[in-house]
Amino acid sequence: MFSHRTPREPLTRKQKLRREVLRILVISAAALLSAFNLNSFVDTADLFPGGFSGAALLIIRLTDKYLGLKLAYSAVFLPLNIFPIYLGLRYLGKKFTFYSMYFTILSSVLTDAIPAIPITYDVLLICIFGGLINGMTIVLCLWMDASGGGTDFISIVLLERKGINAWNYILAGNVVILSLAGIFFGWDKALYSIIFQFVTTQVIQNLFKRYNQLTLIVITDMPESVYDKISILTHHDATLFRGEGFFRETTKHMIYSVIGADQAPMLIREIHEVDPHAFINVLKTERLAGHFYSRPRE
């Protein structure tokens, strides 16, 4: 196992300021997009998105239907996020939680303030494009090292701290919400909401891959240089195997490492810069047991 590592250079104050400004701008845009989506797509078709947002809309519509009381979205959604915010502060870091709270509060306020502007009344189109927008808002937050609140907090805590994939638990919660929605508001709304949630999930899985792992196998004549790239760029370690190639019967070096899926394109490009003849095989890692470096949160 290789052991040396060259540390990354710290960001300058100007670079940090630019990063924080960009972070605020992108998260603000995501909050605006989320509010627009809820008012112009979700409410138009009476859909129930997944997570705490869907739970909040269910409470609001039940209260309106049976009590004649129209609650503000922020009055329901924000209290639901108290426990997830506590988890974020305890396990995910203050800065991550702050920006997640910023998105949660801003998107809630904007949802109450922005008027609904229906784009289409075709429910299937709303499910598809509304799901795309919903997934994109979540991805924008994740790219900026924040979350959309609610179940995002819970799933990240369980995955990073406990190594538990929370998808099944979130799915079970969504099933409960959709079942209640079907009972009280008609099964067509619940079934269309499944399409909305499916599209959202596909967008997130295809655009945000930080929590996916890949197995990297590199056959190279320059193992030290290749390992330097893996170590410096990803902070992951590697194992070196020595063997003999069948074709030319020469000694070969094989480096084995597990990296984040989002790191693969950059790393492959960098490895080929130091060794243009390197043979690289990337495999999907289905399950990982043992220590795996995760970039610390602020």
Side-chain angles (χ1 to χ4, degrees), residues 216-220 226 230 253-257 271 275 278-281:
L216 183 72
I217 299 174
V218 184
I219 298 176
T220 177
V226 170
I230 296 173
H253 302 89
M254 186 178 78
I255 297 175
Y256 170 93
S257 184
I271 289 175
D275 183 4
F279 182 83
I280 303 173
N281 189 14

Side-chain angles (χ1 to χ4, degrees), residues 205-218:
Q205 289 182 346
N206 282 282
L207 295 182
F208 186 76
K209 299 182 179 181
R210 172 174 175 172
Y211 298 109
N212 297 332
Q213 288 89 39
L214 296 175
T215 297
L216 183 72
I217 299 174
V218 184

Side-chain angles (χ1 to χ4, degrees), residues 6 10 15 48-49 52 63 91 124 132 137 141 146 169 184 190 202 216 245 289:
T6 304
Q15 289 173 324
F48 295 89
F52 282 28
T63 304
Y91 296 108
L124 186 57
L132 286 171
T137 60
C141 288
Y169 300 102
F184 291 106
Q202 293 304 304
L216 183 72

Side-chain angles (χ1 to χ4, degrees), residues 111-231:
T111 299
D112 291 331
I114 295 176
I117 306 174
I119 305 300
T120 178
Y121 292 95
D122 187 304
V123 181
L124 186 57
L125 287 177
I126 289 174
C127 290
I128 295 173
F129 287 96
L132 286 171
I133 294 172
N134 189 50
M136 198 64 230
T137 60
I138 296 173
V139 169
L140 286 173
C141 288
L142 293 172
W143 280 347
M144 293 296 108
D145 204 18
S147 77
T151 53
D152 291 352
F153 267 125
I154 297 172
S155 61
I156 293 173
V157 168
L158 289 176
L159 188 62
E160 289 196 356
R161 297 294 175 173
K162 305 295 182 180
I164 299 172
N165 190 331
W167 166 247
N168 290 333
Y169 300 102
I170 295 172
L171 178 61
N174 288 338
V175 167
V176 173
I177 293 172
L178 293 178
S179 298
L180 292 173
I183 293 170
F184 291 106
F185 299 101
W187 290 104
D188 57 333
K189 306 298 183 186
L191 295 175
Y192 274 120
S193 296
I194 293 175
I195 299 175
F196 179 95
Q197 293 181 19
F198 176 78
V199 174
T200 296
T201 301
Q202 293 304 304
V203 172
I204 297 171
Q205 289 182 346
N206 282 282
L207 295 182
F208 186 76
K209 299 182 179 181
R210 172 174 175 172
Y211 298 109
N212 297 332
Q213 288 89 39
L214 296 175
T215 297
L216 183 72
I217 299 174
V218 184
I219 298 176
T220 177
D221 293 324
M222 304 174 65
E224 292 286 342
S225 298
V226 170
Y227 172 70
D228 283 343
K229 290 296 183 182
I230 296 173
S231 177

